[in-house]
Amino acid sequence: MLDVIPTVHRSKRRLLAVSLVLFAGAGAATAGDVGPATTVGATALAVGGVYCVAQYADRVSRPELARLSLGLWIGFLGVAGLHLVGLETVAGAAPGTTAAGVRSLSALTWTALLLSCSATVFLGFREYASASADVAEEQVLEGESDYSTR
């Protein structure tokens, strides 16, 4: 008889996709005139998106998280470039109503910003945690301690 605990395969990409959808919902909700209820709802969506990014960051390696963060920032800069031209101009060039296009571009901008910020913050947390663990390990190896040796 095997004494192996079965584990469920956890999809990392699914968490990133869910956070993308939650951030897009938060961005779309705040694109126009908003009231307090809409702001609370958008904030709840954004918090859910950050939670999903935190779970994703916990399941990937540091180099993978660093590449993701860099790629997301490059993507955000590309989306932010649309603001130089003007959202109405870009939305007017696409088929459909201009208001829907502006709302979509605003949601895309907020999604890119929140996703890249979240990934970078969790990468920073991981770097900080590993740096403090390395320092403590070096102190033990060098014989330094907070305790006296009398």
Side-chain angles (χ1 to χ4, degrees):
M1 172 155 305
L2 295 174
D3 290 345
V4 178
I5 298 172
T7 58
V8 177
H9 175 68
R10 295 179 170 179
S11 176
K12 297 179 277 189
R13 292 184 183 147
R14 184 174 296 145
L15 286 169
L16 206 55
V18 169
S19 67
L20 182 96
V21 169
L22 290 172
F23 286 145
T30 59
D33 294 330
V34 295
T38 306
T39 302
V40 169
T43 302
L45 289 174
V47 168
V50 171
Y51 176 77
C52 289
V53 174
Q55 293 298 313
Y56 176 81
D58 188 43
R59 296 177 186 175
V60 297
S61 64
R62 279 192 311 181
E64 189 175 347
L65 189 58
R67 285 190 298 272
L68 173 74
S69 181
L70 179 63
L72 289 171
W73 278 111
I74 291 170
F76 170 72
L77 291 175
V79 171
L82 297 175
H83 288 264
L84 293 174
V85 177
L87 293 182
E88 290 83 11
T89 305
V90 175
T97 63
T98 304
V102 169
R103 181 171 287 251
S104 298
L105 289 172
S106 179
L108 180 64
T109 303
W110 278 108
T111 300
L113 178 64
L114 291 172
L115 201 54
S116 57
C117 286
S118 298
T120 303
V121 165
F122 290 117
L123 176 63
F125 286 158
R126 184 174 284 180
E127 291 293 327
Y128 178 75
S130 68
S132 64
D134 292 342
V135 170
E137 189 175 290
E138 289 173 6
Q139 288 176 347
V140 170
L141 291 175
E142 294 174 2
E144 298 175 9
S145 174
D146 292 340
Y147 302 107
S148 65
T149 56
R150 290 190 211 185

